[in-house]
Amino acid sequence: MKEVLLDANFPRDAEGRTYHVGTKAGQVANRIITVGDHVRAHRIASQFDGGKALFEHNSQRNFLTLTGTFDGVPITVVAIGMGFPVVDFFIRECRAVVQGDMIVVRLGSCGSLNPTLPIGTVVVPFTSFGITRNYDYFHPTTTAEQRASDSIEPYNISQPLDCDREVHDTLLKALEEQTPEVKDGFFHGAKAKVQGNVMNASADSFYGSQGRQDAAFLDANTNLIEVLEQRHPGISTLEMETFLINHLALCANNVSAEPEAPKIKTGAVQMIFANRTTSAFITPDEVELLERWAGRSVCAALASLSIPANKTHPHGVWSKS
Ligand code: R1P
Ligand code: URA
């Protein structure tokens, strides 16, 4: 940390740069794509007008922000890493530096529980629920009787939350319009395809909370996938961020009942990297194909979604003089 930060409640430097993401007003656009890693972020930014970002900042905490334009419309890509805690840093700190409405689209990878959605499929979830490990279930004071009864469960499974319908439909249309041809040997001979209106779950870990078996840890999850399918029939994908983005958008949107209060709309696109029914995992060349297709489609969808002028951030790195 190089800058002096002010205000322990919401630390920022003297110019308003936030503590972890490290950006200030005018560096983040109203339309944001959030991804897990830097390679994907740069691949998306290479599709911006002019082939590159106009602004780039990699914070000491490793949040990478790339802002540019697509078809003349300002868009920011933020690579945040993985999991719920980084979503909280990302959403709150971007909200703090953007005036007006925000449209936040998660472009991530996921695992598929649905045999009809193999690797090579890009899904657009409409709804997502959360899975969190219940630490007390594993606590030494919890008895075997309590664990055997229904009084304590190893995983908390939330109610689902929806994305924004217009954002969902626009993402789906853009992906369908740009579906790529696939080289021989990719995706075990299957075609690239898109599926909308998918039900997703976001877990607080890649391993235990997604039902992966690990003999080195007590995870009490041998029947977790079955329980998820019983509680939320139709669940198709598992990843680690979409639900919390929807949850924090809901909490931001409910702060004020004023019709003019700024809003956050959300959407997600998920590329299937892991097939949990066959155990197959994607190859690097297949990843690149899906990321370029999905990246271009999400930029096109975001650029086509309107935000009223009075709810758009006034000036930024994208402004012409
Ligand atoms: C786990 O491998 C990571 O992959 C998925 C999960 O949500 C988690 O962040 O998304 P990304 O590929 O965007 O990181
Ligand atoms: N990301 C996840 O969180 N889970 C998977 O199975 C694949 C990618």
Side-chain angles (χ1 to χ4, degrees), residues 109-112 205-206 210 212 238-241 271 273-274 276 281:
S109 64
C110 68
S112 171
S205 87
F206 182 81
Q210 292 188 28
R212 288 188 161 89
L238 284 168
E239 47 77 87
M240 298 174 61
E241 294 83 12
M271 302 166 290
F273 279 16
R276 296 291 301 280
F281 207 86

Short mmCIF file of all heavy atoms in Angstrom, two decimals, residues 109-112 205-206 210 212 238-241 271 273-274 276 281, ligand 2:
data_model
loop_
_atom_site.label_atom_id
_atom_site.label_comp_id
_atom_site.label_asym_id
_atom_site.label_seq_id
_atom_site.Cartn_x
_atom_site.Cartn_y
_atom_site.Cartn_z
N SER A 109 -16.57 -19.34 -15.40
CA SER A 109 -16.65 -20.76 -15.74
C SER A 109 -17.50 -21.46 -14.68
O SER A 109 -17.78 -20.89 -13.62
CB SER A 109 -15.25 -21.38 -15.79
OG SER A 109 -14.64 -21.35 -14.52
N CYS A 110 -17.92 -22.68 -14.99
CA CYS A 110 -18.77 -23.40 -14.04
C CYS A 110 -18.64 -24.90 -14.29
O CYS A 110 -18.07 -25.33 -15.28
CB CYS A 110 -20.24 -22.98 -14.19
SG CYS A 110 -20.97 -23.50 -15.74
N GLY A 111 -19.19 -25.67 -13.38
CA GLY A 111 -19.33 -27.10 -13.57
C GLY A 111 -20.79 -27.40 -13.90
O GLY A 111 -21.68 -26.69 -13.44
N SER A 112 -21.02 -28.45 -14.71
CA SER A 112 -22.39 -28.80 -15.09
C SER A 112 -22.83 -30.10 -14.41
O SER A 112 -22.11 -31.10 -14.42
CB SER A 112 -22.48 -28.99 -16.60
OG SER A 112 -23.75 -29.52 -16.94
N SER A 205 -17.21 -22.66 -1.78
CA SER A 205 -15.91 -23.28 -2.08
C SER A 205 -16.05 -24.11 -3.35
O SER A 205 -17.16 -24.45 -3.78
CB SER A 205 -15.42 -24.17 -0.93
OG SER A 205 -15.93 -25.47 -1.05
N PHE A 206 -14.91 -24.40 -3.95
CA PHE A 206 -14.87 -25.24 -5.16
C PHE A 206 -15.05 -26.71 -4.78
O PHE A 206 -15.60 -27.48 -5.55
CB PHE A 206 -13.51 -25.04 -5.84
CG PHE A 206 -13.31 -25.77 -7.13
CD1 PHE A 206 -13.80 -25.26 -8.33
CD2 PHE A 206 -12.59 -26.96 -7.17
CE1 PHE A 206 -13.58 -25.92 -9.53
CE2 PHE A 206 -12.37 -27.63 -8.37
CZ PHE A 206 -12.87 -27.10 -9.55
N GLN A 210 -19.29 -27.81 -3.23
CA GLN A 210 -19.78 -28.23 -4.55
C GLN A 210 -19.87 -29.75 -4.63
O GLN A 210 -19.96 -30.32 -5.72
CB GLN A 210 -18.89 -27.68 -5.67
CG GLN A 210 -18.98 -26.17 -5.82
CD GLN A 210 -18.26 -25.62 -7.04
OE1 GLN A 210 -18.12 -26.29 -8.08
NE2 GLN A 210 -17.82 -24.38 -6.94
N ARG A 212 -17.62 -32.04 -4.08
CA ARG A 212 -16.44 -32.82 -4.49
C ARG A 212 -15.95 -33.63 -3.29
O ARG A 212 -15.98 -33.15 -2.17
CB ARG A 212 -15.35 -31.89 -5.03
CG ARG A 212 -15.70 -31.30 -6.40
CD ARG A 212 -14.53 -30.54 -7.02
NE ARG A 212 -14.70 -30.38 -8.45
CZ ARG A 212 -15.34 -29.35 -9.03
NH1 ARG A 212 -15.84 -28.37 -8.29
NH2 ARG A 212 -15.47 -29.28 -10.35
N LEU A 238 -22.83 -25.16 -11.21
CA LEU A 238 -22.24 -24.76 -9.93
C LEU A 238 -21.03 -23.87 -10.19
O LEU A 238 -20.16 -24.23 -10.99
CB LEU A 238 -21.75 -26.00 -9.17
CG LEU A 238 -22.80 -26.87 -8.48
CD1 LEU A 238 -22.18 -28.19 -8.05
CD2 LEU A 238 -23.38 -26.15 -7.27
N GLU A 239 -21.00 -22.73 -9.56
CA GLU A 239 -19.81 -21.87 -9.57
C GLU A 239 -19.79 -21.10 -8.26
O GLU A 239 -20.40 -21.56 -7.28
CB GLU A 239 -19.75 -20.98 -10.83
CG GLU A 239 -20.99 -20.26 -11.20
CD GLU A 239 -21.27 -19.05 -10.36
OE1 GLU A 239 -20.78 -17.95 -10.66
OE2 GLU A 239 -22.05 -19.20 -9.39
N MET A 240 -19.12 -19.93 -8.22
CA MET A 240 -18.82 -19.36 -6.91
C MET A 240 -19.11 -17.86 -6.74
O MET A 240 -18.63 -17.29 -5.77
CB MET A 240 -17.35 -19.65 -6.56
CG MET A 240 -17.04 -21.12 -6.46
SD MET A 240 -15.28 -21.47 -6.21
CE MET A 240 -14.97 -20.65 -4.67
N GLU A 241 -19.83 -17.20 -7.64
CA GLU A 241 -20.02 -15.75 -7.50
C GLU A 241 -21.42 -15.24 -7.84
O GLU A 241 -21.87 -14.25 -7.25
CB GLU A 241 -19.01 -14.98 -8.39
CG GLU A 241 -17.56 -15.11 -8.00
CD GLU A 241 -16.89 -16.37 -8.53
OE1 GLU A 241 -17.50 -17.02 -9.40
OE2 GLU A 241 -15.79 -16.71 -8.08
N MET A 271 -19.50 -20.45 -18.68
CA MET A 271 -18.93 -21.39 -19.66
C MET A 271 -18.67 -22.71 -18.93
O MET A 271 -18.02 -22.72 -17.87
CB MET A 271 -17.60 -20.83 -20.18
CG MET A 271 -17.75 -19.47 -20.82
SD MET A 271 -16.14 -18.66 -21.08
CE MET A 271 -15.66 -18.27 -19.40
N PHE A 273 -16.81 -25.65 -17.92
CA PHE A 273 -15.42 -26.14 -17.93
C PHE A 273 -15.36 -27.57 -17.39
O PHE A 273 -14.43 -28.31 -17.73
CB PHE A 273 -14.52 -25.26 -17.05
CG PHE A 273 -14.04 -23.97 -17.69
CD1 PHE A 273 -14.62 -23.45 -18.84
CD2 PHE A 273 -12.98 -23.26 -17.12
CE1 PHE A 273 -14.16 -22.25 -19.41
CE2 PHE A 273 -12.51 -22.07 -17.68
CZ PHE A 273 -13.09 -21.56 -18.82
N ALA A 274 -16.28 -27.91 -16.48
CA ALA A 274 -16.22 -29.23 -15.82
C ALA A 274 -17.56 -29.93 -16.00
O ALA A 274 -18.60 -29.33 -15.75
CB ALA A 274 -15.94 -29.05 -14.33
N ARG A 276 -19.64 -32.60 -14.41
CA ARG A 276 -19.63 -33.36 -13.16
C ARG A 276 -20.29 -34.73 -13.31
O ARG A 276 -20.18 -35.55 -12.41
CB ARG A 276 -20.32 -32.55 -12.06
CG ARG A 276 -19.62 -31.23 -11.70
CD ARG A 276 -18.29 -31.45 -11.01
NE ARG A 276 -18.41 -32.21 -9.79
CZ ARG A 276 -18.80 -31.73 -8.60
NH1 ARG A 276 -19.11 -30.45 -8.48
NH2 ARG A 276 -18.87 -32.51 -7.54
N PHE A 281 -12.94 -32.51 -18.20
CA PHE A 281 -12.55 -31.11 -17.95
C PHE A 281 -12.07 -30.51 -19.27
O PHE A 281 -11.46 -31.19 -20.09
CB PHE A 281 -11.46 -31.03 -16.87
CG PHE A 281 -11.49 -29.72 -16.13
CD1 PHE A 281 -12.32 -29.54 -15.04
CD2 PHE A 281 -10.71 -28.65 -16.57
CE1 PHE A 281 -12.38 -28.31 -14.38
CE2 PHE A 281 -10.76 -27.42 -15.91
CZ PHE A 281 -11.59 -27.25 -14.81
N1 URA B 2 -15.89 -23.42 -11.45
C1 URA B 2 -16.50 -23.93 -10.36
O1 URA B 2 -16.73 -23.23 -9.37
N2 URA B 2 -16.84 -25.23 -10.39
C2 URA B 2 -16.56 -26.03 -11.42
O2 URA B 2 -16.87 -27.23 -11.34
C3 URA B 2 -15.92 -25.48 -12.55
C4 URA B 2 -15.59 -24.16 -12.54
#
